[in-house]
Amino acid sequence: MRYPGNPKGHTVFMRSTILASAIFALLPITAVSAPKAGDYLAARQAAIANDFAAGITYFEQALDGDPTNPFLLENAINAAVSIGDFATAGPLASTLIATGTTSQIAHIVQSVNTANNNNWDSVSTLLESGQEIGPLIDGLTQAWALVGRGQMSAALQSFDTLSETDSMASYTAYHKALALAYVGDFENAEVLFAQSAETGMSYTRRAAIAHTRVLSNLDRSDDALALLDSVFGKQTDPTLVDIRTALINGEMLPFNHVRSAQDGLSEVYLAVAQVLLRDGNDAYTLRFARAAMALNPDNTDALLISASLLENLGQYDLATAAYAGIADDDPAFQSAELGRSEALRKAGKLDEAIVVLSGLTARYPDMPRVHAAAADLFREADDLAAAKDSYTTALGLYDTADPIKWFIYYARGITNHSLDDWPAAESDFRAALALNKDQPQVLNYLGYSMVERGINLDEALQMIETAVAAEPRNGAIVDSLGWVLFQLGNYDDAVGHLENAASLLPVDPIINDHLGDAFWAVGRFVEAQFQWNRALSFDPLEANATRIRRKLDVGLDAVLVEEGAAPIGAQSDDD
């Protein structure tokens, strides 16, 4: 069971150099002028690594020697957009389009920048000239451009025409409702929101909150509260808490989802980004999230998505800066700070991450997820006492029926196990199972821990068999099954399961060590030594390394005798 290397520096350098040279060798000789070859290679390396900040610098330098190169221009635009710099991307997009190149990202940049200049006639003209982005974005952009020009009747007709296309109907209804609410027609906006809620058409969290604000403006606070309860249940994030408090106090919520046509267009790009999140192409999705932010810097959902995508792409400094862009008086501040702490953790800045969450727990002492996140960081920093305290605080704050509680018990159980407090650890693991019966990770951890202690072996076997049935491709859990069979003296069956575990996780030192012991137990001594040597090669500093080396010197039976245990007494069949 597992509890959750790095090549030599000169090797990494050589591999990177070889890769860059190979890429350069495949390019047409006209693509790069000789003085800028170094800039080009650096730009390509930055693009491969998704290092957008360095990429924009190097691509612009490469463009000095070849200013109309479509490849360089498009990559420079992508780098600029990815860091949210639409001002830099604008002239590059104009140059690229002037070369006759069709480029979606260049079209996005020109449309966004033109809309931000309130030049709605030109926004429509760009589309009519063939600068298309995609059917949904193009259609909704035309409609919001009409809203921006004050032509509301024409805009509503444009939304209605789009809704005749089945694939666009759900999104169109949402945007038409936003446009109606923007001009103060809350009655008709509510009709559309209510229909969307009933049919599930594009009724997202954001749509539900907009619907709540519409109901508030219709003096229907009770209906707004009922809507919140039906959609969000007992969720208590700061945004929902602020809305509920205002409604209970009889305050009218401002409709601030859309305060301009630019905000409406921002919602278009946000919706596309949310859909693309399911596909997993983070670099591509980022351009739409950044466009939503460029059109509406207060669009916190777009900002959080952008930051999360940057984090996924390994751009932790950019992600940290994006999360820090949410003001401390914004209801999304808590989520942003949680994201910022995670980005700092992934960047290896654990102390800074802990500082962020320590400040957050002081600011939100009653928010359980903040304490749980802090506990995770403390555990990673090996401050187990602080981790246990934070998990305990979180458990006391979560609602009794909250489904996340099983995981907090599980995490605290791991912490207690690391603190060598087995009674507390076992209690936590069993509490987790009481809330989430047959959860394979918990069953595996508890079962394996009992095997290691030589207690409740029959129960441990049953637990681990259940876990393996749930996750048969999980090498760590399959290893646990093999190891409990070994402890029960069922060596032949243990070998089969441990061989399976080693095939699933072939470079895991503990699995290979276990398999070596099982081979020894059935008399396959040469194979046992081979597996022990493999275990050492994968992790020579592993905590069990001294024992493995002793087994290689004198064999498992002699080591067991030295430890005060009975030898297995296997007879070799290797001959």
Side-chain angles (χ1 to χ4, degrees):
M1 185 186 75
R2 300 295 71 75
Y3 306 97
N6 190 30
K8 297 289 185 182
H10 70 273
T11 305
V12 174
F13 174 78
M14 286 299 295
R15 287 176 180 171
S16 299
T17 303
I18 292 168
L19 176 61
S21 299
I23 292 169
F24 182 62
L26 293 173
L27 295 169
I29 193 66
T30 56
V32 184
S33 61
K36 294 297 179 182
D39 291 330
Y40 187 93
L41 283 173
R44 279 295 289 138
Q45 284 295 92
I48 291 169
N50 294 311
D51 188 349
F52 306 117
I56 184 60
T57 299
Y58 289 124
F59 275 114
E60 285 189 318
Q61 289 175 359
L63 281 165
D64 287 343
D66 197 357
T68 59
N69 184 305
F71 176 82
L72 296 176
L73 285 164
E74 183 153 87
N75 277 276
I77 295 166
N78 183 68
V81 167
S82 297
I83 64 175
D85 188 355
F86 277 72
T88 295
L92 297 169
S94 298
T95 302
L96 179 58
I97 291 168
T99 68
T101 302
T102 299
S103 166
Q104 184 192 59
I105 195 166
H107 296 168
I108 289 172
V109 169
Q110 287 216 318
S111 181
V112 167
N113 286 346
T114 304
N116 276 335
N117 288 330
N118 269 316
N119 194 343
W120 295 106
D121 287 336
S122 294
V123 169
S124 297
T125 300
L126 290 172
L127 287 170
E128 292 160 4
S129 68
Q131 291 195 28
E132 299 173 343
I133 298 168
L136 178 63
I137 292 178
D138 295 343
L140 290 174
T141 297
Q142 286 283 30
W144 279 109
L146 290 167
V147 174
R149 293 204 293 268
Q151 299 174 6
M152 195 62 193
S153 295
L156 294 177
Q157 180 59 51
S158 182
F159 284 125
D160 290 340
T161 300
L162 282 173
S163 68
E164 295 171 4
T165 303
D166 290 342
S167 61
M168 299 184 189
S170 62
Y171 298 101
T172 303
Y174 172 61
H175 281 272
K176 183 179 179 182
L178 291 178
L180 288 167
Y182 164 58
V183 297
D185 187 353
F186 296 112
E187 290 83 358
N188 285 313
E190 201 282 322
V191 171
L192 288 171
F193 276 124
Q195 289 175 350
S196 295
E198 292 169 2
T199 61
M201 293 193 306
S202 193
Y203 199 74
T204 61
R205 168 191 165 89
R206 198 166 177 86
I209 291 175
H211 190 182
T212 300
R213 293 183 179 279
V214 166
L215 288 170
S216 175
N217 279 270
L218 290 171
D219 199 24
R220 293 170 56 183
S221 294
D222 289 343
D223 290 339
L225 284 167
L227 173 65
L228 288 177
D229 291 339
S230 66
V231 174
F232 300 108
K234 296 182 180 295
Q235 290 184 37
T236 56
D237 70 70
T239 298
L240 297 177
V241 168
D242 286 357
I243 292 173
R244 280 195 177 97
T245 301
L247 290 170
I248 291 170
N249 291 338
E251 300 173 21
M252 182 176 289
L253 299 172
F255 187 80
N256 55 10
H257 251 55
V258 172
R259 303 155 302 179
S260 65
Q262 287 91 342
D263 286 0
L265 194 53
S266 174
E267 293 289 323
V268 176
Y269 284 99
L270 173 63
V272 173
Q274 289 171 328
V275 171
L276 290 174
L277 282 173
R278 306 166 196 163
D279 297 332
N281 189 331
D282 295 330
Y284 181 69
T285 305
L286 181 59
R287 65 178 59 176
F288 296 95
R290 286 297 203 183
M293 285 180 62
L295 287 158
N296 178 8
D298 294 330
N299 190 331
T300 54
D301 285 352
L303 189 152
L304 291 173
I305 288 175
S306 297
S308 177
L309 291 169
L310 289 164
E311 190 178 328
N312 293 345
L313 291 165
Q315 298 305 302
Y316 303 123
D317 289 342
L318 288 174
T320 300
Y323 284 124
I326 293 185
D328 61 3
D329 60 350
D330 191 300
F333 177 72
Q334 181 192 119
S335 294
E337 287 293 271
L338 287 169
R340 186 161 73 98
S341 70
E342 178 63 8
L344 288 167
R345 183 193 70 80
K346 289 180 178 178
K349 300 175 181 178
L350 199 56
D351 289 343
E352 292 182 41
I354 289 173
V355 169
V356 171
L357 282 189
S358 295
L360 206 56
T361 55
R363 180 173 179 138
Y364 299 102
D366 297 328
M367 298 300 293
R369 69 171 182 158
V370 174
H371 291 280
D376 291 340
L377 279 182
F378 285 132
R379 183 156 62 93
E380 186 168 342
D382 207 30
D383 189 347
L384 299 177
K388 179 176 180 177
D389 288 344
S390 292
Y391 283 131
T392 301
T393 300
L395 284 168
L397 292 170
Y398 275 114
D399 184 79
T400 302
D402 197 309
I404 195 63
K405 286 191 73 171
W406 78 265
F407 184 81
I408 308 303
Y409 275 117
Y410 174 50
R412 192 176 69 174
I414 295 172
T415 305
N416 280 320
H417 183 269
S418 299
L419 287 166
D420 202 25
D421 186 350
W422 171 244
E426 182 181 13
S427 176
D428 281 337
F429 292 141
R430 293 191 184 278
L433 289 173
L435 295 171
N436 192 352
K437 182 182 178 183
D438 295 340
Q439 209 292 323
Q441 297 297 329
V442 183
L443 287 171
N444 181 51
Y445 207 116
L446 176 56
Y448 186 88
S449 298
M450 291 192 296
V451 171
E452 289 287 88
R453 283 167 173 73
I455 61 174
N456 305 331
L457 293 183
D458 290 336
E459 182 187 18
L461 175 60
Q462 183 179 9
M463 285 182 171
I464 295 171
E465 286 177 335
T466 302
V468 170
E471 295 189 13
R473 302 292 299 170
N474 187 315
I477 295 179
V478 175
D479 170 65
S480 296
L481 178 56
W483 195 236
V484 69
L485 289 170
F486 179 91
Q487 297 291 346
L488 289 169
N490 190 347
Y491 303 127
D492 289 327
D493 286 345
V495 166
H497 289 294
L498 290 171
E499 285 182 314
N500 184 20
S503 70
L504 292 169
L505 291 174
V507 296
D508 187 291
I510 295 178
I511 291 178
N512 283 276
D513 182 30
H514 286 172
L515 180 56
D517 286 7
F519 279 148
W520 179 277
V522 297
R524 295 161 63 176
F525 298 155
V526 172
E527 291 171 277
Q529 290 181 320
F530 176 77
Q531 292 300 328
W532 290 331
N533 275 307
R534 277 174 61 85
L536 284 177
S537 70
F538 297 142
D539 189 0
L541 300 178
E542 196 266 330
N544 202 31
T546 299
R547 188 173 188 268
I548 294 174
R549 292 190 180 95
R550 185 62 179 158
K551 286 188 290 187
L552 284 166
D553 288 340
V554 299
L556 176 59
D557 280 328
V559 169
L560 290 173
V561 170
E562 290 172 356
E563 294 172 346
I568 291 171
Q571 297 298 312
S572 173
D573 60 6
D574 286 328
D575 293 339

